[in-house]
Amino acid sequence: MNNASAASGASLLTGATIETPAAVSATIDLGALGTVELQPNSSVQLDFDDNGNVRLKVLRGCVVMKKTGKGVGEVYTAEGASEKSNNNRKGMAFCYANGGLSPLNQTIAAGGAAGGEGIGSAALVAIIAGGGALAAGLIWAFHGGGGNPSPH
């Protein structure tokens, strides 16, 4: 595996594992497919395809998926727990708990992380490269802090 750090504007391949350290949350902009928000200390595997389907395997922590456009969004675990989007359910927010998915509180699902949770200017998000040939330009938005996430 190839450990790498990413900042705003990074591109990801389908199959990538994305991790946020403690005190850092991140938003992955999937363009017309929607967004994925990772809460601090989370790890997910992100898969997406040309048909608009987005699959998010939660390995650790809490996630919010806001699905837009065509295709289905799915949040799932290795142990078989799975929740999918539909015409009436475009937003989903879950935490990984004992192999299952536990609903994340509605405040985070509706509005994102609370203010005051900050990161320093050197905070990074680790990406462990996975396989896959479909690349997408993704925008990372670090929440909290107010510091510049670029190196000095």
Side-chain angles (χ1 to χ4, degrees):
M1 289 189 200
N2 178 22
N3 287 337
S5 296
S8 188
S11 294
L12 297 175
L13 296 176
T14 186
T17 298
I18 303 127
E19 298 178 343
T20 54
V24 177
S25 61
T27 297
I28 304 166
D29 183 357
L30 298 170
L33 301 180
T35 60
V36 172
E37 298 172 15
L38 301 179
Q39 300 302 306
N41 200 31
S42 295
S43 178
V44 299
Q45 179 180 330
L46 175 65
D47 292 293
F48 46 93
D49 62 29
D50 289 332
N51 297 320
N53 299 307
V54 178
R55 296 187 76 221
L56 192 63
K57 181 178 183 181
V58 183
L59 306 170
R60 176 183 75 238
C62 301
V63 300
V64 177
M65 179 188 288
K66 296 176 183 170
K67 182 71 179 84
T68 58
K70 64 180 183 170
V72 173
E74 180 181 13
V75 176
Y76 71 103
T77 69
E79 293 82 2
S82 176
E83 297 283 342
K84 293 184 179 182
S85 67
N86 58 44
N87 289 337
N88 297 322
R89 182 186 195 193
K90 295 291 187 179
M92 300 180 288
F94 294 100
C95 291
Y96 180 86
N98 299 319
L101 295 170
S102 177
L104 185 62
N105 75 42
Q106 295 300 320
T107 303
I108 292 176
E117 295 176 353
I119 61 172
S121 61
L124 301 173
V125 174
I127 298 176
I128 304 166
L134 180 63
L138 303 176
I139 299 171
W140 289 83
F142 296 104
H143 298 288
N148 180 359
S150 61
H152 295 288

